[in-house]
Amino acid sequence: MSTPIGSMLAEARRRAREHADFDGFVALVPYARFLGLRVEAQGGQLRMRLPYRRELIGNPALPALHGGVTAAFMENAALLHLLLRLDEDRIPKSIDFAIDYLLSARPQDCFAECEVTRAGVRVVHTQIRCWQDVPERPIAVARAHFLLSYPE
Amino acid sequence: MDKSTFHAALQQRFADVTPHVAACGMQLTAVDDNGVEAWLPFREEWLGDTERGLIHPGIVTVLVDSACGAAVLARIADLERIATLDLRMDYLRAGLRDHDIHCRADCYHLTPSIAFVRASVWQQDRALPIAVSQSAFMRAGRRGAAAIA
């Protein structure tokens, strides 16, 4: 039986797949909306964008984006990637997340792509890469485990 | 500046010097020789799952990264630029709607180049953490240090 969020997810997924309209998807996750995250389709690959704004700065002296923001953006990227790629009718639960920072994030847009390394019945392993100028020069890489179905 | 003056300045100016910390309404509630306690008031904007009323793990990571950075400065007790090298989050239980989020971060080991930090996050009961974290920071000298004091 489909849950209320399940039917909303299904509708958002349909609009995303048929019309490449991802706004409904981001709207379902309040914190993704707070960050201002956008989903874009880039030649069959899902790409997330975090448009720069001043409120995302962590160190104004450098200046650099807040490290937590980069991490949160990548966690959102993985979550939205799973919601779009898998047909889950609930929001997957985060088990853990580990990020390695490679370069300071400058005050400009960030991009992220996610890869599902392994999708088990209950647990999914994902790898996320975040960059600003070119994908070959990542500012951070991360991995995350998600739990798909679990007893209430 | 002596240590207690620095700690007081850190606690007071934490949000002023960090635009994203201010945007989230985060505050330091305690600063001591080894670490800090931080407080993030609940907002509907923090939800990741509206159906079940669950906090998004991303905002918990923001709180932890901020608190851990502050913990390093509290331990150094001086202005210094620091950068997160890596950070791991374990989400032990779901964070729930309508409850504020608290974090204790301790810099448990400091070398001339690196700071090691662990943190714990809870809502109503400190003994029931919703997340624990382990991170490492690079010390990058005074150049580009946020003006805390």
Side-chain angles (χ1 to χ4, degrees), chain B:
Chain B
M1 188 188 323
D2 69 24
K3 200 186 260 186
S4 58
T5 313
F6 181 84
H7 285 168
L10 177 62
Q11 181 166 350
Q12 218 164 37
R13 303 216 48 214
F14 179 59
D16 301 349
V17 298
T18 317
H20 191 65
V21 164
C24 295
M26 204 184 299
Q27 286 177 36
L28 291 185
T29 51
V31 176
D32 55 49
D33 288 359
N34 285 318
V36 303
E37 294 201 13
W39 169 58
L40 180 69
F42 174 78
R43 288 185 196 170
E44 285 288 317
E45 287 171 319
W46 303 154
L47 293 181
D49 182 340
T50 51
E51 182 198 18
R52 286 174 285 198
L54 307 184
I55 305 270
H56 195 293
I59 186 63
V60 180
T61 306
V62 169
L63 173 66
V64 165
D65 185 61
S66 308
C68 290
V72 175
L73 294 179
R75 169 94 183 229
I76 297 171
D78 198 1
L79 284 182
E80 192 166 307
R81 186 163 77 82
I82 53 170
T84 321
L85 286 178
D86 62 54
L87 183 140
R88 178 193 163 99
M89 300 286 300
D90 287 337
Y91 299 109
L92 306 187
R93 47 176 69 78
L96 303 178
R97 171 185 258 142
D98 291 333
H99 298 291
D100 295 354
I101 314 170
H102 305 270
C103 176
R104 168 78 211 183
D106 281 290
C107 177
Y108 64 93
H109 188 67
L110 185 69
T111 78
S113 323
I114 305 294
F116 296 90
V117 187
R118 50 179 163 241
S120 175
V121 183
W122 69 94
Q123 288 187 295
Q124 289 164 287
D125 185 350
R126 187 188 284 255
L128 294 173
I130 62 168
V132 292
S133 168
Q134 181 84 38
S135 55
F137 288 74
M138 181 179 71
R139 303 178 62 177
R142 291 181 65 100
R143 189 190 58 82
I148 281 163

Side-chain angles (χ1 to χ4, degrees), chain A residues 69-135:
Chain A
V69 166
T70 306
F73 169 54
M74 293 169 80
E75 288 186 89
N76 267 294
L79 183 70
L80 290 167
H81 183 99
L82 290 185
L83 285 174
L84 278 157
R85 285 294 190 234
L86 309 178
D87 285 322
E88 288 299 300
D89 64 357
R90 312 203 76 171
I91 308 270
K93 249 182 163 177
S94 293
I95 300 170
D96 57 26
F97 175 79
I99 179 168
D100 293 320
Y101 292 94
L102 305 171
L103 291 166
S104 171
R106 282 165 295 130
Q108 60 190 61
D109 292 5
C110 289
F111 301 90
E113 276 179 9
C114 176
E115 184 192 341
V116 176
T117 331
R118 171 169 155 75
V121 176
R122 298 187 67 203
V123 174
V124 178
H125 180 272
T126 62
Q127 297 187 78
I128 314 113
R129 165 192 290 258
C130 177
W131 72 91
Q132 291 190 307
D133 296 322
V134 287

